[in-house]
Amino acid sequence: EIVMTQSPATLSVSLGDRAALSCRASQSVNSNLAWYQQKPGQAPRLLIYDASTRATGIPARFSGSGSGTEFTLTISGLQSEDFAVYYCQQYSNWPPLTFGGGTKVEVK
Amino acid sequence: QVQLAQSGAEVKKPGASVKVSCKPSGYTFNSYYIHWLRQAPGQGLEWMGIISPSGGSTTYAQKFQDRVTVTKDTSTGTVYMELSGLRSEDTAIYYCARDPKQWLVEGWLDAWGQGTLVTVSS
């Protein structure tokens, strides 16, 4: 099973700042990585797939990069609606599909 | 637009079973795979299994292999997830989610149900 590790667990950011969230895989997942956003009381929402492709309707301030074992989700110019928990997920080697433990982006 | 409507919250006693439904709309039911996942309170996401809405073949996470059954009813366009032998650690929100490509499994999830809270308590 591929283990996904996200860091930091919590990221304190000011409105308008840039946030960089890290995700590491225990073995190479090539570019088979997705990112999701989850707000309290809501289901996760797909942001990025194939490591860097934005899902339909996702603003350009969200970008994904990386391949192999190291990935980054960058949020440029943080807006109030971006404060949430973010999860990475690998789909290179499954079952099972596996997720990172999440990074909470909070107001500084 | 694509929507997945799940059944309502459940409260079960330890040892019982629970069956959660997921009814997709806005696309052709038989064309897309459906996944089941869960999220314990304050915790991350855990994948449980997948079903092909056309042939009904399933694949489960080893952790749940002997306790979970995912089925479909083509006549009603509904997918079901049944979990047996419930214990307190199974208290979680259970989600269904759609795989994005017709007839294929990509492994990422482009649409999610609203979630169903299952509480296991004596």
Side-chain angles (χ1 to χ4, degrees), chain A residues 2-3 8-9 15 17 21 23 26-27 33-34 48 51 54 59 64 69-70 91-93 100 102-103 106:
Chain A
I2 297 179
V3 176
L15 278 171
D17 280 358
L21 287 65
C23 175
S26 60
Q27 64 189 75
L33 186 105
I48 301 283
R54 274 190 304 277
T69 62
E70 301 281 345
Y91 47 96
S92 176
N93 189 345
T103 292
E106 65 175 23

Side-chain angles (χ1 to χ4, degrees), chain B residues 2-60:
Chain B
V2 175
Q3 291 186 320
L4 288 79
Q6 298 186 223
S7 50
E10 303 262 13
V11 179
K12 296 292 183 181
K13 294 196 181 302
S17 298
V18 68
K19 194 170 186 178
V20 179
S21 69
C22 171
K23 186 173 175 61
S25 61
Y27 70 91
T28 304
F29 175 76
N30 283 345
S31 300
Y32 295 81
Y33 285 74
I34 294 289
H35 300 256
W36 284 92
L37 307 94
R38 75 178 187 180
Q39 186 172 36
Q43 303 299 310
L45 296 158
E46 185 173 33
W47 182 82
M48 300 178 69
I50 184 174
I51 186 167
S52 163
S54 57
S57 61
T58 54
T59 300
Y60 302 125

Side-chain angles (χ1 to χ4, degrees), chain B residues 50-99:
Chain B
I50 184 174
I51 186 167
S52 163
S54 57
S57 61
T58 54
T59 300
Y60 302 125
Q62 188 169 10
K63 174 177 179 177
F64 302 102
Q65 186 77 38
D66 56 350
R67 294 201 296 140
V68 71
T69 305
V70 177
T71 57
K72 67 175 181 77
D73 183 339
T74 303
S75 66
T76 61
T78 304
V79 179
Y80 299 91
M81 186 283 300
E82 184 170 21
L83 188 63
S84 62
L86 290 170
R87 33 205 190 232
S88 59
E89 311 91 86
D90 293 318
T91 294
I93 297 173
Y94 289 76
Y95 293 103
C96 60
R98 191 185 79 158
D99 205 278

